Amino acid sequence: MNLASRMARIESESAFEVLVRARALEAEGRDIIHLEIGEPDFATPRHIIEAAKRALDDGWTKYGPPQGLLALREAIAAEVSQTRGIGVGPEHVCVVPGGKPMIFFPMMALLDAGDEVIYPNPGFPTYESMIRFLGATPAPVPLVEERGFSFDLDVFARRLSGRTKLVILNSPQNPTGGVIPAGDVRSIADMLRERDVIVLSDEIYSRIWFGEPPLSIASLPGMLEKTIMLDGFSKTYSMTGWRLGYGVMPLWLVEAVNLLMVNSNSCTSSFTQRAGIAALTGPQDDVVAMVCEFRRRRDAFVAALNRVPGFRCRLPEGAFYAFANITGTGWKSKPLADALLEKAGVAALSGTAFGEYGEGYLRFSMANSYENLMAAVQRIEDFMRLSSQ
Ligand SMILES: Cc1ncc(COP(=O)(O)O)c(C=O)c1O
């Protein structure tokens, strides 16, 4: 029995594969510093956990509406309206089990074979995987290190065609830590406003930034009605394992996502959604403290990486990734990532895990303690020194 042919076009995610290899090395007694996986190393805030426990005791253990609980959608609509300066109601919100389904469902709903999708490269691997899976045509636009890992807007403009159906933006960005400057977001909106395209704006790192706040394209004139805004609880509230995310979109897309939810998950877990209400409406001190700690780690880790011969790393402006240029070492990305794991005990990801334009880079997740991050750079430096002898 063969799998359906489309299964030959879907990819896995390297972060999970490297994690498995790193765990296997640990099982052999090796000491590995984990800088591969993109999940905050902080506990979910206490009051959110208490809200989930209360919800279980109160009987939130049954099916709920496929679109999500009204009270959570109201809280999301209020949060999004306030943070993005737009006016959306709960009818525009779809609650789904994590951020990823808000990539999967809209792409399933929108893309036919031959439709072109513009997306960042290097970028979150699910984008390209889903484009290929659905038989659509990938139109990657490289991110330019010298532009703070934003697009070259001329290249972006040339990639637009009569077949472009979807444009994916991600800011703050995985894997580069780049934040698309407000001026670039405005220019992109100007290029798209009159076109028959939809934007998937992946804003899962919307609360984790250190300099200029990210601007959502949805907040620009004429763009709300053609944007799906993705956000969620995984990163902001350190809730990766809870599986809770959402999208804000025009009503005709809400209908499509609801149909896909009915046919797949039925609904998102009810008690988890109750905890989501507590997350959005409760104290935000833990989020502030987490971002503050990420900034402290970023400053020290990136400065130290820049002292490793052959490494050059821009200061990321958001998310919690350092995307280091390693072309000066003479190594290719994948062999260096493998060698650092096997020989130095540092798990990082090759830039090529995020697309062809990630060659020449390594991604380090700063979701590990300050001490471990500094120990990791020391190991990398020692390895580079030995390997160049
Ligand atoms: C850019 C981006 N979008 C979406 C997601 C998916 O988030 P979730 O874990 O909530 O599905 C991630 C997770 O790493 C991400 O980096």
Side-chain angles (χ1 to χ4, degrees):
M1 173 65 76
N2 295 326
L3 292 172
S5 55
R6 74 177 81 87
M7 289 305 290
R9 303 192 304 265
I10 197 162
E11 295 281 337
S12 185
E13 202 182 321
S14 288
F16 290 102
E17 286 166 10
V18 174
L19 180 63
V20 168
R21 273 173 53 209
R23 292 255 186 270
L25 288 171
E26 285 175 320
E28 291 168 15
R30 296 278 308 281
D31 175 37
I32 307 290
I33 302 180
H34 290 273
L35 306 185
E36 75 278 43
I37 200 88
E39 71 177 345
D41 55 313
F42 300 87
T44 301
R46 199 67 234 162
H47 67 280
I48 301 176
I49 293 176
E50 294 304 333
K53 286 183 182 168
R54 249 191 336 271
L56 282 170
D57 286 338
D58 291 348
W60 292 92
T61 53
K62 307 286 187 193
Y63 291 133
Q67 194 175 341
L69 297 176
L70 178 62
L72 176 58
R73 288 189 288 117
E74 281 173 345
I76 291 168
E79 155 88 9
V80 165
S81 297
Q82 193 242 320
T83 51
R84 273 68 164 193
I86 52 181
V88 291
E91 67 278 14
H92 294 107
V93 179
C94 292
V95 178
V96 289
K100 264 185 186 165
M102 204 32 78
I103 302 172
F104 197 91
F105 292 146
M107 289 177 81
M108 285 268 275
L110 283 166
L111 297 178
D112 277 320
D115 290 336
E116 290 179 7
V117 183
I118 291 185
Y119 62 104
N121 185 324
F124 189 50
T126 299
Y127 307 147
E128 186 172 320
S129 178
M130 282 304 295
I131 295 166
R132 292 190 187 281
F133 184 61
L134 295 166
T137 305
V141 179
L143 298 179
V144 184
E145 184 180 352
E146 298 71 32
R147 301 203 72 242
F149 292 111
S150 188
F151 298 117
D152 176 328
L153 293 176
D154 293 330
V155 176
F156 184 93
R158 283 201 298 277
R159 276 301 203 178
L160 279 168
S161 82
R163 305 185 72 122
T164 307
K165 186 146 187 199
L166 181 69
V167 172
I168 303 177
L169 303 178
N170 174 213
S171 175
Q173 217 247 354
N174 177 10
T176 66
V179 170
I180 307 176
D184 285 10
V185 180
R186 289 198 180 88
S187 302
I188 292 168
D190 291 344
M191 285 187 246
L192 301 183
R193 195 167 285 113
E194 303 305 327
R195 285 178 173 265
D196 190 21
V197 296
I198 296 289
V199 180
L200 174 61
S201 183
D202 184 341
E203 303 179 13
I204 196 94
Y205 298 99
S206 64
R207 298 279 294 276
I208 307 174
W209 47 271
F210 313 109
E212 183 193 342
L215 173 66
S216 174
I217 196 162
S219 65
L220 297 177
M223 293 309 292
L224 187 55
E225 48 265 40
K226 48 180 23 163
T227 302
I228 302 158
M229 217 210 69
L230 176 172
D231 203 340
F233 297 76
S234 296
K235 317 287 176 174
T236 302
Y237 298 104
S238 210
M239 290 172 67
T240 45
W242 294 64
R243 310 315 296 142
L244 190 60
Y246 59 86
V248 177
M249 67 202 82
L251 296 181
W252 62 277
L253 275 166
V254 167
E255 256 174 66
V257 169
N258 283 347
L259 280 172
L260 291 167
M261 272 296 283
V262 169
N263 280 278
S264 54
N265 296 279
S266 294
C267 65
T268 305
S269 149
S270 299
F271 67 90
T272 305
Q273 292 188 65
R274 298 296 301 175
I277 299 171
L280 289 178
T281 57
Q284 302 295 303
D285 320 29
D286 291 298
V287 182
V288 174
M290 177 182 74
V291 174
C292 197
E293 175 60 15
F294 276 140
R295 180 196 292 268
R296 183 173 87 99
R297 294 176 191 176
R298 170 198 78 150
D299 290 345
F301 182 67
V302 172
L305 267 186
N306 276 313
R307 291 194 289 270
V308 177
F311 277 56
R312 184 179 81 214
C313 190
R314 283 184 75 92
L315 205 56
E317 290 165 58
F320 42 81
Y321 307 111
F323 203 58
N325 183 317
I326 50 99
T327 48
T329 63
W331 285 75
K332 291 279 193 194
S333 299
K334 178 79 168 60
L336 184 54
D338 289 345
L340 288 178
L341 175 60
E342 307 282 341
K343 306 262 182 340
V346 176
L349 296 187
S350 164
T352 51
F354 302 92
E356 65 205 283
Y357 299 109
E359 182 55 79
Y361 297 91
L362 292 183
R363 189 196 81 168
F364 298 96
S365 165
M366 293 180 280
N368 204 326
S369 70
Y370 184 96
E371 292 69 28
N372 282 345
L373 282 161
M374 300 318 280
V377 191
Q378 192 58 56
R379 289 185 186 190
I380 295 168
E381 199 170 351
D382 294 345
F383 171 79
M384 297 311 296
R385 195 169 307 111
L386 275 172
S387 67
S388 66
Q389 280 169 2

